[in-house]
Amino acid sequence: MFDSKAFWYFLMAGAIGLYLIVLAGFYFITNTALMAAVLAGILLLHASEIPHARRIARPKGVSTRTTAAKTMLFGFTWWLPLKKGILNR
């Protein structure tokens, strides 16, 4: 199950869904400071993963720009299956 591309793509969709939920929260929840803190937390967490993701992606021929973008969008749900050889790029 964990070595299935479909499983990891599902998790990546969930990461995008989380961003959409937070962005919708800015509209529906009046406490924008809370939503900004949640969004900042997600972005900081994903940004902290970039150095590790670069070490995994570089030998596989993935550019630094692509690595940073995909890590910011998907977090570990992108670089972990790349490391395991489930995803190619």
Side-chain angles (χ1 to χ4, degrees):
M1 175 172 142
F2 298 120
D3 59 347
S4 160
K5 280 186 181 183
F7 171 76
W8 291 103
Y9 285 136
F10 177 76
L11 289 182
M12 285 183 218
I16 296 297
L18 181 61
Y19 278 118
L20 293 175
I21 288 168
V22 170
L23 292 175
F26 279 108
Y27 181 76
F28 292 108
I29 297 174
T30 57
N31 189 347
T32 56
L34 172 65
M35 298 313 300
V38 171
L39 182 59
I42 292 170
L43 292 173
L44 285 172
L45 177 66
H46 284 187
S48 72
E49 296 176 43
I50 292 174
H52 184 68
R54 283 183 60 208
R55 285 190 295 272
I56 293 167
R58 185 177 297 145
K60 298 184 183 292
V62 181
S63 73
T64 301
R65 183 178 295 182
T66 299
T67 300
K70 287 186 176 185
T71 303
M72 289 303 294
L73 284 174
F74 306 119
F76 81 93
T77 63
W78 173 75
W79 60 259
L80 187 58
L82 182 70
K83 178 181 179 179
K84 293 181 175 201
I86 299 167
L87 298 179
N88 299 328
R89 290 185 153 214

Short mmCIF file of all heavy atoms in Angstrom, two decimals, residues 23 36 45 51 63 70-71 85:
data_model
loop_
_atom_site.label_atom_id
_atom_site.label_comp_id
_atom_site.label_asym_id
_atom_site.label_seq_id
_atom_site.Cartn_x
_atom_site.Cartn_y
_atom_site.Cartn_z
N LEU A 23 -6.80 28.54 3.20
CA LEU A 23 -7.17 29.75 2.45
C LEU A 23 -8.66 30.04 2.56
O LEU A 23 -9.07 31.20 2.69
CB LEU A 23 -6.75 29.61 0.99
CG LEU A 23 -5.23 29.60 0.76
CD1 LEU A 23 -4.92 29.33 -0.71
CD2 LEU A 23 -4.60 30.90 1.22
N ALA A 36 -3.55 32.95 9.62
CA ALA A 36 -2.22 33.35 9.15
C ALA A 36 -1.14 32.55 9.87
O ALA A 36 -0.15 32.15 9.25
CB ALA A 36 -2.02 34.84 9.37
N LEU A 45 7.28 24.80 8.00
CA LEU A 45 7.56 23.37 8.08
C LEU A 45 8.06 22.84 6.74
O LEU A 45 9.08 22.15 6.67
CB LEU A 45 6.31 22.60 8.52
CG LEU A 45 6.43 21.09 8.58
CD1 LEU A 45 7.42 20.69 9.68
CD2 LEU A 45 5.09 20.46 8.83
N PRO A 51 16.28 21.50 2.46
CA PRO A 51 17.66 20.97 2.40
C PRO A 51 17.69 19.45 2.32
O PRO A 51 18.49 18.88 1.55
CB PRO A 51 18.29 21.48 3.70
CG PRO A 51 17.49 22.69 4.06
CD PRO A 51 16.10 22.39 3.61
N SER A 63 16.01 19.47 -10.51
CA SER A 63 16.61 20.78 -10.27
C SER A 63 16.25 21.30 -8.88
O SER A 63 15.25 20.90 -8.27
CB SER A 63 16.14 21.78 -11.33
OG SER A 63 14.79 22.14 -11.10
N LYS A 70 8.15 21.77 -5.32
CA LYS A 70 7.37 20.59 -4.95
C LYS A 70 7.38 20.35 -3.45
O LYS A 70 6.39 19.91 -2.87
CB LYS A 70 7.87 19.36 -5.71
CG LYS A 70 7.49 19.39 -7.17
CD LYS A 70 7.86 18.12 -7.88
CE LYS A 70 7.37 18.15 -9.32
NZ LYS A 70 7.62 16.87 -10.00
N THR A 71 8.50 20.67 -2.80
CA THR A 71 8.56 20.51 -1.35
C THR A 71 7.66 21.52 -0.66
O THR A 71 6.98 21.20 0.31
CB THR A 71 10.00 20.62 -0.85
OG1 THR A 71 10.80 19.64 -1.52
CG2 THR A 71 10.09 20.38 0.65
N GLY A 85 12.06 5.50 -4.48
CA GLY A 85 12.02 5.04 -5.87
C GLY A 85 10.62 4.82 -6.39
O GLY A 85 10.45 4.28 -7.48
#
